[in-house]
Amino acid sequence: MKAKIQNFLKYTPLLKELVSRDLKVKYRRSFLGYVWSLLNPMLMMMVMSIVFSFMFKSNIPYFNVYLITGNTLFAFFNESTNQAMTSILANGSLIRKVYIPKYIFPVSRVLSAFTNLTFSLAAIIIVMVFSRVPLHWTILLFWVPLVLLLLFCIGCGLFLAAIATFFRDITYIYSVVTLALTYLTPIFYPVDAEFLPPFAMAIIKMNPMYYYLTFFRQVVMYGAVPGAELWIGCTVSCILALVIGFAVFRNGEKAAYLRRLAEKRGVILLTDPDGAGFVIRNHLKGILPPEQVKQAYVPDVYGKERRKKKGGKEGKLGVEGMPPQVLIEALRRAGATFEDGTEAPQRAGLTKADMLEKGLIGPASAEKRAALQRRLGLPEHLTANGLMEALDTLLTREEFDAL
């Protein structure tokens, strides 16, 4: 943890530079520039106030302030997460040239949106003064929900950035999600039993943004210290978002590295022959381009590595316990190139029709596959498709026909 904090502090100047760049790009060629951070929430508030004060009657006290606080905080959430989601894709050329911790990019987008939010607070103050909202000492706590919301958005941004790297359609899906969240967040309507049915209130309280908006309004508008429900809702959602966001982002970062490595040089998968090893193998097969992946298998050998007090759950030796000649042979059969100039065997080009002809797939084929796997020294956890891949790698067409 200490090393991670030191690494983050090391890149703080870069983070500041990226935030500054994002702000400059956003307001480039704009006549009013940063003033839009003040005007935008006020103009939105004016339009929505006209709609909900005259066309749809609203009985919320200080409705203008209620509206601008909800709209400003939700706009920050919407802007920060959308910007963070595309941050890795937008900075792909820079990431490929130099090493930079990739989490810096989504974090910088969220911080730039948070800077805009701080400017927008001036608009809230102006509306409060004109609406003659009473000031209470609790307004000094305004920063608490904002900081918790900032951390929540960082976690969401990291999660979305990791997903968008592999699943580009998430950018379109997320626009629908934020639209739904707009109506599930009490921006322009009250959350009370007179206005909403019980099931609707239950759904709204499942939305983390409800807690942040309500917390902020409690301390800024109503002079109340938030109760335990709001503190717990904000804190728990914030922590969960950060933990899940960083976990998914780290896994996504590793997967992206392996994909680049596979595309550049190819990858040979060599795992332990037990069930856990095949879980890892299948996970990597799912995230790597299949044409760039070769499979290497070690046989089922029962025993215990010297460094371990007891053997594995299935009692099989892992890769580190295998004799060097076994590993070399497994890699050679998978198509690895060695310095001695030995060429890898040519693939057989097998299809499911070939497997069906040999009785290796279809009804009552399990026993025949198991016998062949023992005969060739292949692990027992291979599926029918996995066995076909292994045979295609290990055998020539002539050797397969001779089975």
Side-chain angles (χ1 to χ4, degrees):
M1 179 61 70
K2 183 179 178 181
K4 292 179 181 178
I5 294 174
Q6 290 176 343
N7 189 53
F8 176 78
L9 295 176
K10 177 182 175 182
Y11 288 95
T12 300
L14 174 62
L15 186 61
K16 293 179 180 178
E17 186 62 32
L18 289 173
V19 171
S20 176
R21 184 198 67 176
D22 290 339
L23 292 172
K24 290 176 182 176
V25 169
K26 181 175 181 178
Y27 295 109
R28 182 186 298 167
R29 298 179 182 177
S30 171
F31 179 72
L32 295 177
Y34 293 104
V35 178
W36 276 113
S37 296
L38 176 67
L39 289 178
N40 189 60
M42 294 186 69
L43 293 173
M44 290 289 291
M45 181 271 299
M46 291 173 61
V47 172
M48 296 180 75
S49 293
I50 293 171
V51 172
F52 289 99
S53 296
F54 298 99
M55 298 177 66
F56 302 100
K57 294 293 183 182
S58 175
N59 297 321
I60 301 175
Y62 306 113
F63 179 69
N64 289 344
V65 182
Y66 187 92
L67 185 58
I68 195 172
T69 52
N71 190 57
T72 301
L73 267 63
F74 189 84
F76 161 65
F77 167 77
N78 189 19
E79 178 188 1
S80 62
T81 53
N82 271 287
Q83 291 292 325
M85 179 171 54
T86 57
S87 59
I88 299 297
L89 300 175
N91 291 281
S93 58
L94 179 60
I95 291 171
R96 295 187 191 96
K97 291 177 182 177
V98 294
Y99 170 75
I100 299 172
K102 296 174 186 61
Y103 65 81
I104 290 290
F105 295 102
V107 171
S108 70
R109 293 294 179 88
V110 176
L111 289 177
S112 65
F114 189 74
T115 305
N116 284 327
L117 172 63
T118 58
F119 294 150
S120 299
L121 294 179
I124 295 177
I125 294 172
I126 293 172
V127 175
M128 287 180 66
V129 171
F130 277 92
S131 300
R132 298 181 181 180
V133 176
L135 296 180
H136 306 275
W137 70 267
T138 55
I139 199 172
L140 298 176
L141 299 175
F142 79 95
W143 59 273
V144 177
L146 296 184
V147 171
L148 293 174
L149 178 58
L150 169 65
L151 297 176
F152 175 73
C153 291
I154 288 175
C156 293
L158 289 169
F159 176 83
L160 291 168
I163 300 299
T165 304
F166 300 101
F167 185 56
R168 305 292 175 88
D169 292 349
I170 191 66
T171 56
Y172 302 101
I173 296 172
Y174 189 63
S175 63
V176 180
V177 172
T178 52
L179 177 62
L181 283 175
T182 302
Y183 296 104
L184 290 174
T185 304
I187 298 173
F188 48 81
Y189 57 83
V191 182
D192 57 47
E194 295 181 2
F195 185 79
L196 297 171
F199 78 90
M201 291 184 64
I203 293 173
I204 288 170
K205 288 186 177 182
M206 293 173 63
N207 175 10
M209 288 303 297
Y210 158 78
Y211 296 96
Y212 296 108
L213 266 65
T214 306
F215 194 124
F216 188 76
R217 285 166 174 160
Q218 289 280 335
V219 298
V220 172
M221 292 180 60
Y222 304 125
V225 177
E229 180 187 12
L230 293 178
W231 281 98
I232 293 171
C234 292
T235 306
V236 170
S237 61
C238 156
I239 293 173
L240 283 177
L242 282 174
V243 171
I244 295 173
F246 271 106
V248 172
F249 191 84
R250 285 186 63 190
N251 289 336
E253 198 173 26
K254 293 175 183 177
Y257 169 74
L258 289 174
R259 285 176 66 90
R260 291 200 304 273
L261 189 64
E263 291 168 358
K264 198 173 269 191
R265 304 185 61 180
V267 169
I268 295 178
L269 297 182
L270 177 63
T271 65
D272 291 348
D274 59 6
F278 272 80
V279 169
I280 297 171
R281 183 187 294 272
N282 291 331
H283 171 69
L284 293 175
K285 282 174 62 179
I287 64 174
L288 298 175
E291 66 278 3
Q292 300 294 338
V293 176
K294 296 180 180 179
Q295 305 286 342
Y297 301 96
V298 292
D300 287 332
V301 178
Y302 291 86
K304 178 181 73 68
E305 285 92 346
R306 291 182 180 179
R307 69 177 182 85
K308 295 182 179 179
K309 293 183 179 180
K310 60 179 182 178
K313 185 176 180 180
E314 298 179 21
K316 299 176 183 178
L317 282 178
V319 171
E320 62 178 296
M322 294 287 173
Q325 59 269 26
V326 173
L327 297 178
I328 292 172
E329 181 60 25
L331 293 172
R332 192 186 303 278
R333 292 194 299 178
T337 304
F338 289 84
E339 292 181 354
D340 61 6
T342 305
E343 293 186 3
Q346 189 174 2
R347 287 179 176 267
L350 301 181
T351 64
K352 288 187 177 180
D354 296 319
M355 298 287 286
L356 184 62
E357 184 180 344
K358 291 288 184 181
L360 295 174
I361 58 174
S365 61
E367 291 185 6
K368 191 168 185 179
R369 286 200 307 272
L372 180 60
Q373 286 165 213
R374 288 192 295 270
R375 174 181 159 192
L376 296 178
L378 294 172
E380 63 181 347
H381 287 284
L382 281 173
T383 62
N385 288 334
L387 178 60
M388 185 177 73
E389 291 180 8
L391 295 177
D392 189 49
T393 300
L394 303 178
L395 304 178
T396 62
R397 169 57 70 170
E398 291 74 17
E399 290 171 335
F400 178 78
D401 291 338
L403 289 177

